[in-house]
Amino acid sequence: SSEGALGAEGVTDSTVPVAVKVPENTKFTKVSAGYDHVLAVTTDGKVYAWGSNGQGQLGIDSVSSANVPTLVSALETVKIVSVAAGKQYSLALSESGVVYAWGLNSKLQLGISGSNISVPTVIETLTSASVFVTQIFAGETSAAALTGSGALWLWGNNDQTQLGTDGSTCLPYEVTKITTAVISVALGAESTTLFLADGSVCSMGLNSVGQFGNGETADSKTMNLKSATLDESVYVSEIAAGSKFIAILSGDGALYVCGSAVGSDDSATLNTTPTSLSVGADLTVASVSAGYLNGAAILQDGTVWTWGDNGSGQLSNGTKNNSATPVQVVGVGGEGVLRLGSAPYVQSVALYVRASVPSPTYTISIPSQIDLGELHQTNTESYSTKDFNIGVSDVANLYGEYKIVVSIQSDSGFVLTDGDGNTLSYGVYKNETGGTALESGAVFAEFEDAGSVTGWLRTDQSRIVKSGNYSGTLHFVFNVEPISE
């Protein structure tokens, strides 16, 4: 980009990935790309921006563009947890739930009355309503915020009633007509798509190319949301929206698209209902995002695939050819294959179940059954122990950047059950000699390489008051975490 949106000093356009010139001793944990600028959050909550600054969207003490990441010094004393970049405007969310906005304000997309703002400014409407925001979203000219309870706030451009209220623009307002908690928001150019807690995906606003996925091309210009016609077997986990399409990711890693078939030679090709989009040889998708006329997916094996318009090389496969089907992104500088490491995958299983995360990510296994030992009437000094192995394999694609953490989870305490169905609480300990009983969330084992860990299950049976056969269940949570420096 001539405005420096690639963040690589001396580089203009590129058809292959180039390395961003990250400041020394700085690590970015979250990145958001807008129309012609980029925002990033560091591990310590600072915000950097680069690219075009024609409307003050970088929030820096300059009127010029920046071709490398530049600190947004106005937010230096605030710990920021996430950012969202729209078309020439920016949003940031602090750890205290406060939303800041800056840049272009022609459609009230900053959520603040008045003209453009070049310095990060608190959205007072949200603050005065005592709203604790947990997620922010920036579309082309409209924006959204979600609270921890799933309450939805919308503001900005409303010329297609994509915000479901009166007027061509609006300041932040709470959408009280939606009674189901909102999980996520995807903002198209002139439509709003919501992922609700009941598993549905629904939209309002412009539907000219069938992007609602409800089998129609009729608009919905009221708060009466139109639902995508998803099969009951599709368990939605993530949504994304481009200008003329939406993408839906299911929990089993399948990808669906609705609306314009971006990148197709036939511009009249429409997907008015959710249509499966095959990635590679039906590979498992871990995350999806969307740009103006293109989409991107990260797979469980860490590879990145893109599709859609490629006039500026944004598909990053070394060409400028459009593609209606996902193509694999090449490595930095055009060498090899770009791999981003394994995306987090979380699964909770009972102790007696063999757990397997879909290949090729990784596999964690535990014995099909763990013997709790011979249980009998006992006293506080008596206990039984049983050792067992937790094993992990197929972790080559973690690339040394992640570790697998096995932690214990239980919502109601650990329970023993006898043959009559009676239950009693008991303590569970990590080693043979006991110590402090483990609570929910306690880490049981960590793996940075393939291998196995021998664990002990010690149960405090002091509450057993009669003889008989007892059994117990212990739940593990497996997840992938970055290795801290």
Side-chain angles (χ1 to χ4, degrees):
S1 166
S2 60
E3 299 288 345
L6 296 185
E9 192 172 23
V11 177
T12 54
D13 293 350
S14 178
T15 61
V16 297
V18 294
V20 174
K21 191 174 181 180
V22 179
E24 189 175 356
N25 299 322
T26 299
K27 287 190 174 183
F28 293 148
T29 58
K30 294 182 180 179
V31 177
S32 178
Y35 177 75
D36 55 8
H37 77 294
V38 182
L39 303 173
V41 182
T42 67
T43 53
D44 57 354
K46 292 182 174 56
V47 178
Y48 282 77
W50 61 95
S52 176
N53 196 31
Q55 305 297 331
Q57 61 264 46
L58 298 189
I60 60 178
D61 187 18
S62 172
V63 295
S64 303
S65 301
N67 59 13
V68 295
T70 303
L71 178 67
V72 181
S73 58
L75 291 172
E76 208 169 356
T77 60
V78 181
K79 187 171 183 180
I80 299 298
V81 294
S82 67
V83 288
K87 186 175 181 179
Q88 301 180 313
Y89 76 100
S90 304
L91 303 175
L93 174 64
S94 76
E95 66 175 351
S96 58
V98 175
V99 183
Y100 295 79
W102 63 98
L104 183 66
N105 199 34
S106 59
K107 300 290 185 179
L108 296 183
Q109 56 265 59
L110 299 186
I112 303 168
S113 297
S115 56
N116 300 353
I117 301 173
S118 60
V119 178
T121 303
V122 172
I123 301 180
E124 292 291 350
T125 302
L126 297 173
T127 303
S128 62
S130 300
V131 173
F132 190 97
V133 175
T134 57
Q135 295 184 69
I136 52 175
F137 307 88
E140 184 172 322
T141 51
S142 56
L146 290 179
T147 70
S149 63
L152 172 65
W153 288 70
L154 295 172
W155 65 91
N157 186 14
N158 192 43
D159 59 2
Q160 297 296 328
T161 323
Q162 61 264 47
L163 305 185
T165 189
D166 297 328
S168 59
T169 60
C170 73
L171 290 172
Y173 83 102
E174 184 178 4
V175 184
T176 56
K177 291 183 179 179
I178 299 177
T179 57
T180 303
V182 180
I183 302 299
S184 185
V185 182
L187 298 167
E190 296 174 301
S191 64
T192 299
T193 299
L194 307 176
F195 171 30
L196 303 182
D198 61 7
S200 64
V201 174
C202 46
S203 306
M204 58 188 171
L206 191 67
N207 188 36
S208 58
V209 291
Q211 58 263 55
F212 289 5
N214 65 338
E216 303 174 3
T217 55
D219 301 336
S220 177
K221 296 188 175 182
T222 69
M223 193 51 72
N224 183 21
L225 300 173
K226 301 296 184 182
S227 299
T229 54
L230 289 164
D231 187 273
E232 290 184 358
S233 63
V234 176
Y235 183 85
V236 178
S237 63
E238 192 173 336
I239 60 173
S243 173
K244 297 182 178 180
F245 74 100
I246 64 171
I248 300 171
L249 178 62
S250 71
D252 60 359
L255 185 60
Y256 302 85
V257 290
C258 314
S260 175
V262 291
S264 172
D265 292 333
D266 182 3
S267 60
T269 301
L270 304 179
N271 300 306
T272 59
T273 57
T275 303
S276 178
L277 184 64
S278 179
V279 182
D282 292 323
L283 300 176
T284 304
V285 178
S287 183
V288 64
S289 64
Y292 185 70
L293 289 174
N294 46 58
I298 301 174
L299 273 58
Q300 287 278 5
D301 65 358
T303 59
V304 183
W305 296 68
T306 54
W307 73 96
D309 180 69
N310 196 31
S312 297
Q314 58 266 55
L315 298 190
S316 301
N317 67 337
T319 76
K320 289 190 176 182
N321 300 324
N322 297 345
S323 179
T325 57
V327 293
Q328 191 167 1
V329 173
V330 300
V332 175
E335 300 294 329
V337 174
L338 180 67
R339 291 183 182 272
L340 298 181
S342 174
Y345 187 100
V346 179
Q347 183 171 359
S348 176
V349 296
L351 190 63
Y352 51 80
V353 174
R354 181 173 295 275
S356 177
V357 176
S359 178
T361 304
Y362 55 84
T363 300
I364 297 178
S365 61
I366 56 180
S368 57
Q369 183 175 358
I370 293 178
D371 185 2
L372 293 177
E374 181 182 353
L375 303 181
H376 50 81
Q377 187 171 345
T378 184
N379 58 51
T380 57
E381 300 300 323
S382 177
Y383 59 85
S384 64
T385 60
K386 183 67 180 180
D387 62 330
F388 60 97
N389 287 320
I390 297 177
V392 60
S393 59
D394 301 328
V395 296
N397 63 322
L398 294 179
Y399 311 114
E401 301 171 1
Y402 291 85
K403 62 185 176 184
I404 296 172
V405 178
V406 180
S407 58
I408 294 176
Q409 181 177 22
S410 177
D411 295 330
S412 57
F414 309 117
V415 173
L416 283 174
T417 304
D418 65 17
D420 297 327
N422 300 312
T423 63
L424 64 151
S425 299
Y426 70 98
V428 61
Y429 301 87
K430 185 175 181 178
N431 54 54
E432 183 180 8
T433 57
T436 303
L438 295 174
E439 298 180 352
S440 178
V443 172
F444 201 92
E446 294 183 3
F447 302 90
E448 292 185 14
D449 298 297
S452 62
V453 172
T454 298
W456 285 89
L457 180 67
R458 170 185 163 177
T459 58
D460 175 3
Q461 303 162 23
S462 59
R463 299 195 182 196
I464 296 177
V465 295
K466 64 179 181 178
S467 61
N469 296 318
Y470 290 78
S471 62
T473 300
L474 188 61
H475 287 266
F476 285 132
V477 173
F478 306 141
N479 67 299
V480 178
E481 294 182 355
I483 296 175
S484 59
E485 293 295 327

